[in-house]
Amino acid sequence: MTEPFNEHFGALRDHLPGQNLSWLTALRQRGLDRFAKNGLPTTGMEAWKYTSLRPIEKVDFAAEGVPRACISIDRAPSLLPEATESHRLVFVDGHFRSDLSRLGELPEGARIATLGEQMVDDPDWLHGHLDHLEAPLVQPMLALNTAMMMNGFVLRLARGTVLPHPIEVIHLGGAGDAPLAYHPRNLVVLEEGSQATLIEHCSHLGEQPYLSNSMTEISVADGATLRHYKLQADALNAFHLATVKAEVGRDATYDSFCMTTGARLSRNEVSVRLSGQGADCHLNGAYLVRGEQHCDNTTVVDHLVPNTTCREVFKGVVDDKARAVFQGKLKVHRDAQHTNGHQLSKVLLLSDRAEINAKPELEIYADDVVCSHGATAGDLDHDALFYLRARGIPEAAARSMLIEAFLGESVDQIAAEGLCPALMASIGHWLAGSRGDY
């Protein structure tokens, strides 16, 4: 199915930024050609074996180059406490809203801009970084994003620059008067020894369905540190497809956490290349889904050189007829001796109709490594539940306490000050909405 998206491209063509850049026009055309060749991913592709995009085909999405009339808002929701100093960018239905955004004083060597601004201000630098990271999988949705990228954010830190306050990027969907599809493109480049915290918050306005197909490219140079945290709480009639490609240099750290509670269908696909000795990667996540939601977490970590480490833990709670997918691959290349890799998927199934498809993989071509993987799925601990109920705690409250403790272990690992309470509140909100189903 490519015809609707070809029509989208036609509708967007005159509004796409950077039309005066020949290299960008060629890049868009290559993306469009690749998507036309492959179409939407199908379950016949190994990487999409457990996730069907057929529900997307049933919605008549449009694409708009300029913002439609939308719900009036004067303030964007935030995951951080009001008193927290932070930089904030807000996008509504894929379009940047400067009136809702706030950029405080940045240290020398730091730049935060929209993709469109970067195309105007420094197109040569953008040419050297956009679409330059390799991907281990065939990615038709990435090709579609490349063709139709209109906006997004660019974070650039020069060598040794430390951003003292977090950057919060808020994506709000469903504000228009018809179903919309949009394709945010983000670029994060941290040069040697720089540090930043990036927080993404995906939420919604109104009742219209929407499709967000985003792509984020991340380069963490030698000795740099990026903490990247995300809450995906899109509308339950929305579709959220997010791709992240990251490359981590020598003695650098990429610390990632994604919590999913929203969207009818979501897929969080992350591929990380550990290309420098001492590179360290944390890929963690949590998800809570119910009803007929579908949540897919797919990761690939390539250990390319010796002495790299990766820790990957995903925890989920699945209720009703919801379905979750975890596909994680650790690939240790031939010269990557002394790799230390750990991967774990743990899921609570609260209903006999809930389902998890777990596919952890190790692909190892070196002989001096420490690698492990595992996957578990089951109901709540009945002994623990009995213990709490025996002390007078109602069953619904006892179940909520056990679920909060199960997921709280992951949330507690987050280093961003002030973010953990917001994520725990999101868990509590989900539990409050599902207690009637117990």
Side-chain angles (χ1 to χ4, degrees):
M1 174 188 155
T2 60
E3 292 83 2
F5 293 102
N6 287 332
E7 294 176 4
H8 291 182
F9 186 77
L12 291 175
R13 188 188 300 272
D14 294 337
H15 301 282
L16 293 172
Q19 295 190 56
N20 61 320
L21 304 174
S22 59
W23 63 267
L24 184 57
T25 300
L27 178 63
R28 291 188 192 280
Q29 189 60 50
R30 286 198 300 272
L32 190 65
D33 292 343
R34 289 172 186 166
F35 179 74
K37 178 180 178 180
N38 296 301
L40 286 177
T42 69
T43 54
M45 300 173 60
E46 184 63 27
W48 289 81
K49 181 178 180 180
Y50 304 110
T51 298
S52 170
L53 296 186
R54 285 192 176 275
I56 291 177
E57 300 177 8
K58 299 176 182 179
V59 182
D60 186 18
F61 290 109
E64 293 294 329
V66 294
R68 290 189 178 195
C70 68
I71 296 171
S72 176
I73 56 172
D74 56 11
R75 184 179 180 184
S78 175
L79 292 176
L80 298 173
E82 187 66 29
T84 302
E85 292 190 63
S86 65
H87 310 283
R88 183 179 303 169
L89 284 78
V90 180
F91 295 84
V92 178
D93 280 340
H95 295 281
F96 178 64
R97 288 282 298 267
S98 59
D99 58 317
L100 300 176
S101 302
R102 181 188 72 228
L103 286 179
E105 184 176 349
L106 295 170
E108 184 178 353
R111 174 173 173 78
I112 305 171
T114 67
L115 182 67
E117 290 172 340
Q118 192 68 36
M119 290 177 182
V120 174
D121 296 343
D122 199 347
D124 292 338
W125 179 88
L126 191 64
H127 186 199
H129 293 86
L130 192 67
D131 202 48
H132 277 244
L133 298 182
E134 296 182 22
L137 303 171
V138 177
Q139 297 177 308
M141 301 311 296
L142 170 56
L144 182 63
N145 176 283
T146 299
M148 302 201 190
M149 56 181 168
M150 175 172 285
N151 223 324
F153 65 88
V154 176
L155 169 61
R156 176 182 176 185
L157 296 187
R159 182 172 183 171
T161 302
V162 177
L163 207 55
H165 307 304
I167 304 156
E168 186 175 20
V169 182
I170 301 167
H171 309 272
L172 300 175
D177 55 7
L180 290 178
Y182 46 92
H183 308 267
R185 186 61 169 254
N186 311 310
L187 179 62
V188 179
V189 179
L190 271 60
E191 296 183 7
E192 292 87 346
S194 58
Q195 296 181 32
T197 297
L198 172 63
I199 299 170
E200 293 190 75
H201 183 193
C202 305
S203 190
H204 59 94
L205 300 164
E207 302 298 329
Q208 292 293 343
Y210 54 93
L211 165 63
S212 173
N213 172 40
S214 68
M215 166 62 192
T216 303
E217 293 179 90
I218 297 171
S219 178
V220 187
D222 296 351
T225 298
L226 176 65
R227 301 177 181 90
H228 185 194
Y229 308 127
K230 175 180 172 183
L231 171 62
Q232 188 275 96
D234 282 302
L236 294 179
N237 60 357
F239 300 88
H240 180 101
L241 305 176
T243 303
V244 175
K245 291 194 299 183
E247 182 144 5
V248 186
R250 177 175 52 84
D251 296 326
T253 299
Y254 176 55
D255 181 15
S256 170
F257 179 88
C258 176
M259 176 178 285
T260 297
T261 62
R264 176 183 175 186
L265 184 153
S266 65
R267 179 175 166 105
N268 183 53
E269 183 174 316
V270 183
S271 60
V272 180
R273 290 165 51 86
L274 302 178
S275 59
Q277 292 201 40
D280 186 21
C281 171
H282 304 153
L283 278 188
N284 299 318
Y287 52 91
L288 302 96
V289 288
R290 60 175 180 255
E292 296 186 354
Q293 285 181 271
H294 181 101
C295 170
D296 182 335
N297 286 288
T298 294
T299 67
V300 179
V301 179
D302 278 296
H303 295 263
L304 300 172
V305 298
N307 301 303
T308 58
T309 59
C310 174
R311 177 176 174 81
E312 182 175 358
V313 179
F314 278 78
K315 291 187 173 185
V317 178
V318 187
D319 201 359
D320 301 325
K321 294 189 291 183
R323 186 180 180 189
V325 178
F326 173 77
Q327 299 181 108
K329 175 184 283 189
L330 296 180
K331 185 174 181 180
V332 181
H333 290 248
R334 191 172 304 279
D335 296 327
Q337 305 292 348
H338 308 295
T339 286
N340 190 326
H342 172 69
Q343 180 188 92
L344 180 63
S345 167
K346 300 180 72 174
V347 182
L348 293 178
L349 300 175
L350 304 183
S351 163
D352 57 7
R353 297 171 296 174
E355 183 177 338
I356 172 69
N357 293 109
K359 185 185 174 187
E361 294 181 81
L362 297 177
E363 189 174 330
I364 300 174
Y365 298 97
D367 54 11
D368 188 4
V369 302
V370 178
C371 293
S372 64
H373 67 172
T376 65
D379 198 354
L380 289 168
D381 185 332
H382 291 282
D383 290 340
L385 186 61
F386 176 80
Y387 177 88
L388 293 174
R389 294 199 64 196
R391 277 146 184 80
I393 299 174
E395 181 177 0
R399 293 174 70 94
S400 293
M401 290 172 63
L402 293 176
I403 292 170
E404 287 180 335
F406 173 73
L407 296 174
E409 292 178 349
S410 298
V411 174
D412 287 344
Q413 304 300 314
I414 293 174
E417 184 177 352
L419 181 59
C420 291
L423 295 181
M424 292 305 297
S426 180
I427 294 172
H429 178 74
W430 187 90
L431 290 169
S434 64
R435 279 177 185 151
D437 298 331
Y438 288 160

